[in-house]
Amino acid sequence: MKNKAKPQKAVIAIDGHSGCGKSTLAKSLAKKINYLYIDTGAMYRAITWYLLENKVDISDEEQVAQAIEPLAITFVKSETGNHVAVNGEDVEKYIRSMEVSKSVSPVAELKVVRDKLVALQRQIGQDGGVVMDGRDIGTVVFPDADLKIFLTADVETRVARRVAEYLEKGQTISYDAVKENLTLRDHIDSTREISPLRQAEDAVVIDNSHLTKVEQLEQVVGLLRERGFAV
Ligand code: DC
């Protein structure tokens, strides 16, 4: 039997808990190897922002279904990389607020929301050459991904990094408020009925609590080379 030819461009799935630096790793990896970077959390956040903005009752799945049915969720180019857009409007600057962070996990529990976004994510990644980060990429969206990373970091490190990110944007959010949000989201994301956050059996676990950004990037590039990808 002939060996199946290696696809030229990999599908790379990066999953893990809230605030462990998935986006930082995924973005720098995509840049280094010239792949497309897709932040699936931004897609869930964009829908959440839209629902809050339009005062849709997020506990009513029927209402949510009607509201999101006509929505186009896309990515648009910007100077700082790809930004998520709703019906063509770049909404990146609205989606990282604490208000959106508080409602995004309940919204991401809804089947109607997951069905829409998972279909879109599969379409975007179907030809490979993509680094996608989220919670269910290696388990549900691309169970056959060429490389699956499950990223973790201890909770203190995750909270401290998130607080620093807010500070960089000029927002002061207390350590305790961030910790409460991260741990609550982790709980909802890991225990929900549909596509809960869990480590895929064939995922490589990287704990980056004590790794620099360069070290974790090099580890992942090494894993891709081991798998025969010319990166
Ligand atoms: O990656 P993030 O923290 O920006 O994601 C925001 C929320 O979106 C997260 O708490 C859970 C949800 N999410 C999800 O359910 N599935 C994904 N693939 C990505 C994010």
Side-chain angles (χ1 to χ4, degrees):
M1 209 167 72
K2 272 190 190 163
N3 273 342
K4 224 174 122 188
K6 260 268 172 253
Q8 300 236 299
K9 290 203 157 192
V11 170
I12 303 165
I14 302 182
D15 291 303
H17 293 103
S18 296
C20 61
K22 297 182 297 294
S23 306
T24 306
L25 170 61
K27 205 186 282 183
S28 61
L29 177 64
K31 192 169 174 206
K32 187 174 170 81
I33 64 178
N34 202 19
Y35 276 25
L36 179 66
Y37 163 54
I38 297 294
D39 174 355
T40 65
M43 299 167 92
Y44 288 93
R45 285 173 180 273
I47 283 191
T48 304
W49 168 80
Y50 178 88
L51 295 172
L52 294 176
E53 192 68 8
N54 289 281
K55 310 218 172 342
V56 176
D57 178 358
I58 62 170
S59 64
D60 181 343
E61 195 159 359
E62 261 304 301
Q63 256 197 56
V64 171
Q66 277 188 19
I68 69 168
E69 205 272 326
L71 283 194
I73 306 293
T74 54
F75 286 90
V76 291
K77 278 203 163 51
S78 84
E79 278 172 16
T80 52
N82 283 343
H83 284 178
V84 71
V86 178
N87 291 339
E89 183 192 356
D90 178 347
V91 296
E92 189 72 33
K93 57 184 173 297
Y94 308 127
I95 64 170
R96 315 274 164 201
S97 69
M98 196 42 109
E99 203 195 353
V100 170
S101 293
K102 279 185 178 159
S103 297
V104 66
S105 284
V107 168
E109 281 188 281
L110 303 174
K111 181 175 185 317
V112 66
V113 172
R114 300 208 76 80
D115 285 350
K116 182 178 177 89
L117 292 185
V118 169
L120 206 52
Q121 290 153 12
R122 286 187 178 143
Q123 202 183 329
I124 296 171
Q126 64 187 349
D127 297 326
V130 69
V131 184
M132 215 174 256
D133 79 357
R135 304 294 187 291
D136 60 341
I137 310 304
T139 51
V140 173
V141 182
F142 287 109
D144 295 327
D146 299 288
L147 176 63
K148 300 178 187 178
I149 303 291
F150 192 83
L151 204 59
T152 77
D154 57 57
V155 73
E156 271 68 36
T157 307
R158 296 196 274 133
V159 176
R161 285 177 186 160
R162 212 15 84 84
V163 169
E165 268 172 33
Y166 278 116
L167 266 181
E168 257 174 44
K169 289 190 223 159
Q171 292 169 266
T172 313
I173 311 257
S174 78
Y175 183 93
D176 289 345
V178 172
K179 186 170 181 179
E180 190 184 323
N181 178 255
L182 288 191
T183 42
L184 181 63
R185 278 201 289 138
D186 283 349
H187 177 72
I188 300 176
D189 297 344
S190 311
T191 55
R192 69 177 170 227
E193 215 170 292
I194 314 168
S195 316
L197 165 66
R198 63 178 177 80
Q199 187 188 318
E201 272 176 24
D202 51 349
V204 178
V205 180
I206 298 180
D207 182 334
N208 69 10
S209 309
H210 305 289
L211 291 180
T212 65
K213 289 175 189 171
V214 173
E215 285 167 341
Q216 68 170 357
L217 179 59
E218 286 311 316
Q219 269 197 28
V220 178
V221 171
L223 289 166
L224 277 168
R225 291 192 180 131
E226 273 173 25
R227 283 164 173 70
F229 291 97
V231 290

